[in-house]
Amino acid sequence: MKYKEYNRTEVVQYAQKWALSRNPKYYNFDNVGGDCTSFVSQCILAGSKTMNYTKDIGWYYINGNNKSPSWSGVEYLYQFLVTNKGIGPQAIETTQNKIEVGDIAQVSFDGERFSHTLMIVKIENKFIMKGIQIASHTFDSLNKPISEYDFEKIRWIHIQRVGI
């Protein structure tokens, strides 16, 4: 397997451009469960330029009716990223002090089920929640401190590289 770097600058540029609007190339999932994970997938794609077209277990988007569950599903994206050893973005679950811009946070509002995906776009101080800023859809946000969310649990996902 060959690898390439994940371009964090392009991730942030995409997030800044589309956080408060919708890219017409992608279906808007706001009315069918939320657009947060699709938006984060779009950001990841901007930085990886590589999809994994493996039916059902890959990570890809062709159109709103032809996409992998991991493109728009919170738990499916997590499972794909942390178990992927093939083509596409590869990640690990990490700790807050090891995150970087272009990484992902997922939050659980009830303490049981992770239900919202956020793209980290700015880090002023990774040791405090208000020092980490995100971009997201569903609850459209840009440069919002993660501390403004009222969540029970959070997990951090660090994208390590991209399989090609």
Side-chain angles (χ1 to χ4, degrees):
M1 173 71 42
K2 292 187 177 188
Y3 304 98
K4 66 179 178 179
E5 245 183 84
Y6 178 61
N7 188 325
R8 295 173 186 281
T9 301
E10 290 190 29
V11 171
V12 171
Q13 287 172 343
Y14 185 93
Q16 289 171 334
K17 180 174 183 176
W18 295 106
L20 303 177
S21 62
R22 300 292 183 271
N23 184 336
K25 292 181 186 175
Y26 299 97
Y27 182 80
N28 179 353
F29 293 93
D30 277 337
N31 295 322
V32 286
D35 200 54
C36 63
T37 304
S38 175
F39 171 69
V40 167
S41 284
Q42 293 167 42
C43 294
I44 295 169
L45 182 60
S48 68
K49 305 279 191 280
T50 308
M51 292 188 197
N52 179 319
Y53 289 95
T54 306
K55 190 80 173 143
D56 298 325
I57 60 167
W59 176 76
Y60 62 90
Y61 178 94
I62 296 167
N63 61 49
N65 294 316
N66 189 356
K67 62 171 183 59
S68 62
S70 59
W71 185 267
S72 58
V74 175
E75 197 60 42
Y76 293 109
L77 178 62
Y78 170 79
Q79 290 299 326
F80 172 78
L81 290 172
V82 301
T83 63
N84 182 33
K85 304 289 184 241
I87 293 171
Q90 301 174 358
I92 57 168
E93 187 170 346
T94 192
T95 54
Q96 182 176 330
N97 64 328
K98 293 186 179 166
I99 59 167
E100 295 178 46
V101 165
D103 284 341
I104 301 160
Q106 290 186 323
V107 294
S108 168
F109 297 110
D110 63 7
E112 295 177 25
R113 187 176 71 88
F114 287 94
S115 59
H116 196 43
T117 306
L118 310 164
M119 176 54 65
I120 299 165
V121 294
K122 189 174 184 183
I123 300 174
E124 293 174 344
N125 181 345
K126 68 175 73 175
F127 299 100
I128 56 173
M129 290 287 181
K130 70 179 183 179
I132 302 165
Q133 296 178 16
I134 59 86
S136 72
H137 274 187
T138 306
F139 310 108
D140 292 7
S141 303
L142 178 60
N143 299 328
K144 178 178 181 173
I146 208 161
S147 60
E148 290 183 16
Y149 284 89
D150 185 19
F151 57 85
E152 293 289 319
K153 288 196 314 193
I154 190 166
R155 65 182 171 200
W156 308 98
I157 303 165
H158 171 67
I159 299 181
Q160 298 179 292
R161 60 190 179 194
V162 180
I164 54 173

